[in-house]
Amino acid sequence: MILDSLQNAPKYYGLHPNFKKAFDYVNQNDIANLEEGAFEIGEGLKLIVIVGQGNTKEEAVKGFECHDKNIDIQISIKGPETFAWKPREKCVNPNGDYSDERDVRFFHDAPDTFFEMQEKQFAILFPEDVHTAMIGEGTLKKIVIKVKI
């Protein structure tokens, strides 16, 4: 997992061929005013705009998840937003089977840590990162860019 500010995004372009394209999209668009929904923004790149009420930690960890085929780049637009995290190799209590169609695997495990992401910060979450988000108060807005591996 990587947590940083948008101004530092170029440091991570070399980690995946589509990271530069993903962050270029963010820099070239008014992300604060994007409409809620899911959009293809390039080959192997899907943008999801999420607006919703923040959850409690207890409620959010019911969606403790990871992905096999995608890397998440999650960017806070209106926050702050708290995330829960644990390395996948430490998760031992699956919550159902892997969904190939949705590329998601859920776990009942408790997170190792919580961290807060401020507006204009991002997290890069790899398949090894079990996570959940949207923890906070009031209305939160974020974008998630799915980067196909």
Side-chain angles (χ1 to χ4, degrees):
M1 180 192 71
I2 295 169
L3 177 65
D4 208 336
S5 297
L6 282 174
Q7 67 189 20
N8 295 323
K11 294 179 180 181
Y12 307 102
Y13 290 175
L15 296 177
H16 189 282
N18 276 339
F19 279 8
K20 182 179 184 323
K21 293 175 190 172
F23 285 110
D24 281 349
Y25 182 90
V26 170
N27 292 326
Q28 295 167 4
N29 289 277
D30 181 8
I31 61 172
N33 291 309
L34 291 174
E35 295 294 322
E36 194 171 6
F39 314 92
E40 298 295 326
I41 60 170
E43 188 175 334
L45 292 170
K46 180 178 182 180
L47 174 82
I48 305 167
V49 181
I50 301 168
V51 179
Q53 290 299 305
N55 293 306
T56 64
K57 290 178 179 178
E58 296 77 20
E59 187 64 29
V61 296
K62 293 177 184 175
F64 208 35
E65 66 179 27
C66 63
H67 314 287
D68 289 353
K69 299 177 186 175
N70 289 282
I71 298 166
D72 278 1
I73 300 174
Q74 299 202 19
I75 302 169
S76 179
I77 296 172
K78 182 179 182 209
E81 177 184 12
T82 299
F83 282 68
W85 176 87
K86 185 173 193 155
R88 188 174 190 164
E89 71 266 8
K90 289 180 64 180
C91 290
V92 295
N93 296 309
N95 180 3
D97 294 327
Y98 170 74
S99 169
D100 187 58
E101 179 182 326
R102 295 182 54 220
D103 183 35
V104 68
R105 180 181 314 273
F106 294 101
F107 289 93
H108 285 297
D109 295 76
D112 275 1
T113 192
F114 291 88
F115 64 91
E116 189 172 272
M117 194 163 70
Q118 302 298 320
E119 294 174 11
K120 297 187 180 176
Q121 291 181 334
F122 67 90
I124 300 175
L125 300 152
F126 296 92
E128 298 80 16
D129 299 309
V130 180
H131 60 280
T132 193
M134 294 297 287
I135 302 168
E137 297 182 6
T139 302
L140 304 177
K141 184 174 184 180
K142 69 186 302 169
I143 61 174
V144 178
I145 301 175
K146 298 284 189 181
V147 181
K148 191 155 190 74
I149 298 173

